Amino acid sequence: MSDQLKTLLRRGLSAHEGNRPEEAEKIYRQILDISPANAEAEHLLATLLTGQGRNGEAIDLFESCLSSVGANPAARCNYAIALESSGQIEKAIDQFKQAISYHGDFPTALYHLARLEIPRGHLGQAVDLLGRLLGLKPDHFEGLLLFGNALHALGQEKAALMSLDHAAEAAGITPDMICRVATAHLRLGYPGPAQGLYQRALSIDAKFVPGLRGLGQSLAHQGQYAKAIALLKTARQLAKDTDDIDLVLADITLKCGDVFGTIEILEAVLKANPDNAMADALLLRSKAKLASGDGTEFAKEAKNWAKHHMPIAAKPVFANTRQSDKRLRIGWISPFFCEHPSFKLLGSLARNLNRHEVELFLYSATPRPDDVTRSWQVMADGWREVFGQDPMQIADRIRKDKIDILIDLCGAHPTQPIEVFALHAAPVQASLSPTTTGMTQIDYLIGHKEVFSGKLANNKGLSEHPQKLELGPYLPGELDDTFPVSPLPAAFNDDIIRFGCIDKLANISDETLMCFARILNKITNSRIVIQDDVLEDSYAAKTFLDRTRQAGINRDRLDLAGTVAAEDRPALFAQIDIGLAPFPAICLENHFEMLWSGVPFVSLASDLPGSRLGLAILADIGLEALCAHTEKGYVDKCIMLSTDLKALASIRENMRDRIRNAKAFHAPAVAREFEESCREMWQNWCLRK
């Protein structure tokens, strides 16, 4: 190489490393004008162009020079990075593997190959690669961070935390790196350690926005909403882009029961950024809690959400055999295969499926595996970790597994990879969501017949076909016979009637509170106990009390309860004579528990999405008369129940017999019907041409 070219290369490299890309590109092209096949200049220019997102030009240059510089593992890795950036993942993986195969354990190749193997579900391979990397570079920050995540996904919690602690040490005094470790802790379910790291970052830079946002989020995870909101508002004043901060604020305000405030925040986010799919999904879920809403309008909004945010994909040709009586492969996908109500509600169904008729594959998008995750794994014929994977990769995995029916367990939740359904991952697709998903790619909405007895299902307001069940599909968790049903409290408490609403504050609509006020006004010797874990926090309690005051409820008629330990919950229900289900949404698991404790509840079924779940479980035990269809009817039923303590005591005394004798509470029967329903959906597909 001539002295002129050497000088130009030095100048180009100096500009490149000095972050002067335009100058560097000009010099590299000058070299190529003088020496068109100069491999070193091609390699450096290709690397520069990759950093600018000009991947097509970069790949052409890499492929021109690779025969000359391929012995350099860095060049091969740079080529792989360009391939990955252009979406050619398999080719990128092959190049990283070649770099390792030809040149030994090259750190860059080890790290990037591990990074690409994790979303493909190859956790064991990734851990091996990262172990080799850290053997060479023990303080490799990115490697330690990735190693911790991979180990945690494999259930090696202690080793994962050790790796994250080492990453925190390697972060030194760089706030951004410290916050990345904190975010990893938060995502994996350790808000305490995350809080400490965010505080460490803020001790270095008190105005570091990611630190303020993260500290607010970690405090919110620990139920300290008042402090969290103050930090997030400070972060918002300092930030240029506030979307992420606003999403955390919206999540907090929703948990604390301020649905209108949540909607206001999310609509402002979407006004500035209409393509924010997470904000739109959370907005849809928030609107489903409005008793003043309209079911038909909600269905339209759900369809608009799906149309705006879901990818468009042609239906593939499935390799599944069209055999109507074969053993079906059923897939469930959810971000909640962990400590979550879905285990209580669906665990019994999963355990009782006839494995001669069906195979159950679980696709876990769970960010924080725990002991309940292990219980789900035991019930699965096939277990697939898909958290963090691209929806297209998940869909490909499902097709390779030849799943016949893919079932969504939670609808358009912000953490659910719902796009998998838009990509037609299985021949038949269904959802257990209590509300329409708005997605035409989901063929069926599976639910109790009473859920579909309103106008919305009958006037074709749903995007999916209603698949009606006589029983289930939800069941209560394990029924505990060790504690007896308590006597009716009113019989021993000077005839004072105590109502109870044991639910999330977000589900207690303003209309529900106004009904509570009317009940208390009509029944002078009455009180209401409200329980939700978030009431431990001062902001949540104040927000709720402000709402009750506006509804006309006197503070001295309210008993508020925050977190109640599992062993103390029977004592909580022992204080309640009559349950009050909020509307339009309820926590189903709480109302199963309420019934098992002997407490009947009054519900309101309307045409709003998700509003008929209370009716479904009351009808299953012959108490559908306790479900009203108007707010006046809701209040009247509460008054009627309170006037006949003898009848109320009898209902309480016989409640467990009602449950034991109800076919809908018999897990094998619910499982058989669910299998038959799946068989019917599959046969319908087999008959199509």
Side-chain angles (χ1 to χ4, degrees):
M1 184 184 296
S2 69
D3 289 341
Q4 180 191 12
L5 290 178
K6 289 179 182 178
T7 300
L8 286 170
L9 273 173
R10 282 196 298 270
R11 285 175 53 204
L13 193 56
S14 176
H16 193 159
E17 293 175 345
N19 196 27
R20 302 192 303 276
E22 291 181 4
E23 181 184 342
E25 180 179 351
K26 185 177 179 180
I27 294 170
Y28 292 149
R29 293 199 183 278
Q30 185 180 351
I31 294 170
L32 291 172
D33 286 339
I34 298 169
S35 176
N38 189 297
E40 193 169 352
E42 286 182 325
H43 170 225
L44 291 171
L45 178 56
T47 305
L48 178 74
L49 294 175
T50 301
Q52 296 177 328
R54 295 157 65 182
N55 301 306
E57 297 175 70
I59 288 170
D60 289 341
L61 287 164
F62 275 124
E63 290 176 349
S64 173
C65 70
L66 204 63
S67 59
S68 299
V69 299
N72 179 351
R76 198 168 287 278
C77 287
N78 289 336
Y79 175 41
I81 291 168
L83 288 167
E84 181 196 352
S85 299
S86 69
Q88 301 180 61
I89 306 297
E90 295 298 331
K91 285 186 177 180
I93 288 172
D94 181 62
Q95 288 301 316
F96 285 128
K97 286 181 176 178
Q98 285 191 49
I100 295 170
S101 175
Y102 296 163
H103 311 295
D105 281 354
F106 186 63
T108 303
L110 290 168
Y111 169 74
H112 285 291
L113 184 56
R115 181 178 57 78
L116 290 176
E117 291 292 8
I118 288 175
R120 284 155 44 103
H122 302 158
L123 293 171
Q125 291 180 34
V127 165
D128 175 64
L129 291 162
L130 291 167
R132 287 152 60 185
L133 166 64
L134 295 170
L136 295 169
K137 292 192 168 187
D139 294 327
H140 192 290
F141 174 77
E142 300 288 353
L144 288 164
L145 205 55
L146 200 60
F147 197 42
N149 282 289
L151 288 168
H152 195 275
L154 285 172
Q156 299 180 37
E157 183 177 15
K158 187 175 180 180
L161 292 175
M162 286 178 62
S163 184
L164 292 179
D165 286 345
H166 196 168
E169 292 174 15
I173 59 171
T174 307
D176 180 61
M177 294 170 70
I178 296 168
C179 285
R180 288 183 60 198
V181 183
T183 301
H185 275 98
L186 195 59
R187 186 177 64 252
L188 298 177
Y190 309 107
Q195 177 183 339
L197 287 166
Y198 286 124
Q199 287 170 333
R200 175 180 147 193
L202 290 169
S203 71
I204 299 166
D205 181 355
K207 294 184 178 181
F208 189 58
V209 171
L212 290 165
R213 176 190 177 278
L215 181 56
Q217 197 168 9
S218 62
L219 289 169
H221 275 267
Q222 298 172 81
Q224 299 180 51
Y225 301 115
K227 292 180 180 178
I229 288 172
L231 282 162
L232 291 164
K233 286 183 176 178
T234 301
R236 202 178 188 285
Q237 290 173 351
L238 297 169
K240 292 180 180 178
D241 182 357
T242 63
D243 281 8
D244 286 349
I245 299 168
D246 287 337
L247 285 176
V248 180
L249 280 168
D251 185 61
I252 293 172
T253 54
L254 185 62
K255 281 187 173 75
C256 294
D258 186 2
V259 177
F260 286 104
T262 302
I263 290 172
E264 185 178 349
I265 292 170
L266 295 170
E267 286 181 339
V269 170
L270 289 164
K271 185 176 181 180
N273 183 7
D275 294 328
N276 193 317
M278 186 172 287
D280 217 353
L282 187 54
L283 178 62
L284 202 61
R285 294 181 74 83
S286 301
K287 287 185 174 180
K289 298 181 184 298
L290 293 177
S292 57
D294 177 85
T296 303
E297 183 61 31
F298 178 87
K300 289 179 182 177
E301 291 191 19
K303 291 174 184 176
N304 288 335
W305 171 86
K307 183 179 180 180
H308 188 71
H309 297 293
M310 291 298 100
I312 298 173
K315 261 192 180 181
V317 176
F318 293 103
N320 308 58
T321 56
R322 288 180 182 263
Q323 184 180 339
S324 62
D325 60 349
K326 71 173 183 176
R327 186 186 183 199
L328 292 176
R329 284 196 164 193
I330 296 174
W332 289 2
I333 185 167
S334 173
F336 299 127
F337 290 126
C338 55
E339 182 64 48
H340 185 268
S342 58
F343 181 71
K344 290 182 179 179
L345 296 173
L346 292 169
S348 294
L349 172 61
R351 275 192 297 271
N352 283 276
L353 290 174
N354 182 350
R355 300 312 165 92
H356 295 294
E357 291 292 322
V358 301
E359 291 179 272
L360 182 63
F361 282 67
L362 300 182
Y363 295 87
S364 173
T366 305
R368 298 184 289 274
D370 53 27
D371 290 341
V372 176
T373 307
R374 322 294 173 230
S375 299
W376 277 115
Q377 287 175 323
V378 169
M379 291 188 283
D381 296 297
W383 176 264
R384 304 286 185 262
E385 296 277 0
V386 299
F387 171 71
Q389 294 185 26
D390 181 86
M392 183 63 79
Q393 291 176 320
I394 302 173
D396 286 343
R397 173 75 263 185
I398 292 167
R399 291 190 203 104
K400 286 177 183 175
D401 287 334
K402 294 184 178 179
I403 297 300
D404 298 309
I405 303 174
L406 181 66
I407 299 176
D408 147 60
L409 302 192
C410 64
H413 191 279
T415 61
Q416 162 81 311
I418 196 77
E419 297 93 338
V420 170
F421 290 86
L423 297 170
H424 304 284
V428 179
Q429 301 190 135
S431 176
L432 293 179
S433 170
T435 64
T436 181
T437 64
M439 297 176 63
T440 56
Q441 300 94 332
I442 294 182
D443 306 292
Y444 298 94
L445 204 60
I446 304 172
H448 193 285
K449 62 182 180 181
E450 293 295 351
V451 171
F452 299 117
S453 58
K455 294 179 182 176
L456 190 63
N458 295 332
N459 69 7
K460 299 183 180 180
L462 303 177
S463 300
E464 314 84 354
H465 176 77
Q467 185 68 11
K468 300 180 183 181
L469 304 176
E470 293 291 323
L471 317 171
Y474 300 114
L475 288 155
E478 187 175 341
L479 299 173
D480 186 359
D481 262 322
T482 59
F483 72 93
V485 172
S486 64
L488 184 72
F492 301 90
N493 198 21
D494 298 326
D495 291 344
I496 292 176
I497 298 292
R498 181 164 288 181
F499 294 94
C501 181
I502 314 302
D503 214 301
K504 295 184 184 299
L505 296 189
N507 289 344
I508 306 176
S509 63
D510 288 349
E511 288 77 5
T512 301
L513 287 176
M514 285 188 279
C515 284
F516 290 178
R518 289 160 62 189
I519 291 165
L520 291 171
N521 288 336
K522 294 281 187 180
I523 308 169
T524 54
N525 59 332
S526 62
R527 302 181 61 81
I528 294 181
V529 57
I530 309 283
Q531 189 274 324
D532 184 7
D533 291 356
V534 303
L535 284 169
E536 294 284 336
D537 178 73
S538 60
Y539 171 80
K542 181 182 182 303
T543 300
F544 184 67
L545 286 172
D546 286 345
R547 293 178 59 219
T548 60
R549 184 167 55 252
Q550 290 171 13
I553 300 174
N554 291 329
R555 176 67 182 89
D556 59 2
R557 307 284 292 278
L558 280 173
D559 297 314
L560 302 186
T563 303
V564 177
E567 61 270 20
D568 295 328
R569 289 185 73 80
L572 171 68
F573 288 109
Q575 304 172 35
I576 300 170
D577 299 291
I578 302 169
L580 297 173
F583 55 86
I586 66 169
C587 288
L588 199 57
E589 68 279 6
N590 289 1
H591 290 79
F592 277 132
E593 185 182 13
M594 183 177 282
L595 291 175
W596 185 247
S597 300
V599 182
F601 65 84
V602 176
S603 183
L604 193 156
S606 68
D607 290 315
L608 293 171
S611 70
R612 308 181 75 83
L613 291 173
L615 171 60
I617 56 176
L618 288 171
D620 285 337
I621 57 173
L623 290 176
E624 60 269 32
L626 296 183
C627 185
H629 296 277
T630 64
E631 292 177 20
K632 182 180 183 302
Y634 183 92
V635 173
D636 289 346
K637 287 179 185 294
C638 290
I639 295 169
M640 178 193 68
L641 273 177
S642 69
T643 57
D644 192 342
L645 296 187
K646 185 176 180 180
L648 199 55
S650 176
I651 292 173
R652 192 182 189 97
E653 183 181 344
N654 296 315
M655 186 70 80
R656 286 194 180 172
D657 287 337
R658 284 179 179 272
I659 292 171
R660 290 190 187 98
N661 295 331
K663 193 175 180 181
F665 286 72
H666 186 56
V670 173
R672 296 296 80 75
E673 187 192 19
F674 185 80
E675 292 161 13
E676 290 167 7
S677 183
C678 288
R679 180 69 61 187
E680 179 185 337
M681 290 186 289
W682 176 247
Q683 288 173 343
N684 289 342
W685 184 78
C686 289
L687 292 172
R688 297 178 199 154
K689 293 184 179 180

